[in-house]
């Protein structure tokens, strides 16, 4: 029993250490950018030694990907939960409102994400893993959009629900790129709401001007 208790304490301590390293790395990567950060800087920000780092991650790349995965999974949960409301059928305009209200639009996260995209573009193995994450996000969106046929017809121009899900992700990518430059979160949410409504409904109407 004593050994089991010790093992649980070690596990909890390791989970805590990993979480601290990820949190510290997020701040350092957002401030300086991937490729300009050393393991020592991450350890210093977290208050740990290199030994603590290597007990959780083999490389800085591995930590960076774990950080990306953590935030990407959060966004996938936000989208899935926002689309889960409304019963068996999906009211697309109402769901768009829910998604744009809760979706993570954080400039520091977008800086880290952009660094990761550039890194992945130069590393085929990392790119494959990133593509897998994006495919799972599109799959979650497509699953809910497939229920829209009982409530709101999707525009034929998008093809099928997979095409619609791709359009949703592309709209998010475009709006967040602008957000990186102007840092205007409220305008980004408004544009995203308008874009998604126009993309996913035939009755979106003329968009209201966002200034």
């Amino acid at each position: 029993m004593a050994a089991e208790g010790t093992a649980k304490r070690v596990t909890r301590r390791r989970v805590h250490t990993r979480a601290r390293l990820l949190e510290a790395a997020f701040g350092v990567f957002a401030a300086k950018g991937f490729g300009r950060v050393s393991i020592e800087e991450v350890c210093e920000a977290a208050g740990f030694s290199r030994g603590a780092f290597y007990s959780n991650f083999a490389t800085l790349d591995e930590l960076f990907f774990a950080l990306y995965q953590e935030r990407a999974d959060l966004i996938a949960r936000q989208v899935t939960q926002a689309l889960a409301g409304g019963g068996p059928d999906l009211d697309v305009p109402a769901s768009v409102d829910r998604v744009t209200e809760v979706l993570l639009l954080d400039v520091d996260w977008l800086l880290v994400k952009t660094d990761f995209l550039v890194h992945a573009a130069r590393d085929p193995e990392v790119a494959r893993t990133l593509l897998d994450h994006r495919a799972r996000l599109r799959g979650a969106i497509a699953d809910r959009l497939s229920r829209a046929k009982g409530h709101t017809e999707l525009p034929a121009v998008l093809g099928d629900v997979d095409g619609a899900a791709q359009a949703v992700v592309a709209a998010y990518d475009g709006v967040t790129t602008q957000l990186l430059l102007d840092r205007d979160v409220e305008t980004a949410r408004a544009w995203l709401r308008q874009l998604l409504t126009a993309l996913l409904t035939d009755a979106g109407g003329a968009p209201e001007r966002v200034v």
Side-chain angles (χ1 to χ4, degrees), residues 100-108 110 175-176 178-193 210-211:
T100 53
E101 284 172 6
V102 304
L103 194 60
L104 178 66
L105 290 174
D106 176 74
V107 173
D108 283 346
L110 295 174
V175 167
T176 54
Q178 180 66 26
L179 176 59
L180 270 176
L181 300 176
D182 62 27
R183 308 295 180 102
D184 188 339
V185 174
E186 291 310 310
T187 297
R189 289 196 190 281
W191 269 120
L192 186 60
R193 182 181 295 108
V210 177
V211 294

Side-chain angles (χ1 to χ4, degrees), residues 91-121:
D91 182 333
V92 171
S95 296
V96 166
D97 284 343
R98 289 197 298 272
V99 168
T100 53
E101 284 172 6
V102 304
L103 194 60
L104 178 66
L105 290 174
D106 176 74
V107 173
D108 283 346
W109 155 243
L110 295 174
L111 287 168
V112 175
K113 173 190 170 186
T114 301
D115 272 347
F116 191 80
L117 287 171
V118 173
H119 179 55

Side-chain angles (χ1 to χ4, degrees), residues 88-176:
D89 294 327
L90 182 66
D91 182 333
V92 171
S95 296
V96 166
D97 284 343
R98 289 197 298 272
V99 168
T100 53
E101 284 172 6
V102 304
L103 194 60
L104 178 66
L105 290 174
D106 176 74
V107 173
D108 283 346
W109 155 243
L110 295 174
L111 287 168
V112 175
K113 173 190 170 186
T114 301
D115 272 347
F116 191 80
L117 287 171
V118 173
H119 179 55
R122 293 190 173 95
D123 187 322
E125 184 176 349
V126 176
R128 283 192 294 271
T129 307
L130 179 56
L131 286 169
D132 181 58
H133 274 276
R134 289 171 68 86
R136 288 205 298 274
L137 175 59
R138 291 195 304 271
I141 296 170
D143 178 65
R144 282 301 297 172
L145 289 177
S146 67
R147 308 178 196 186
K149 295 178 180 178
H151 197 293
T152 304
E153 193 67 28
L154 293 173
V157 69
L158 294 177
D160 55 16
V161 292
D162 291 327
Q166 181 75 50
V168 169
V169 174
Y172 174 76
D173 286 343
V175 167
T176 54

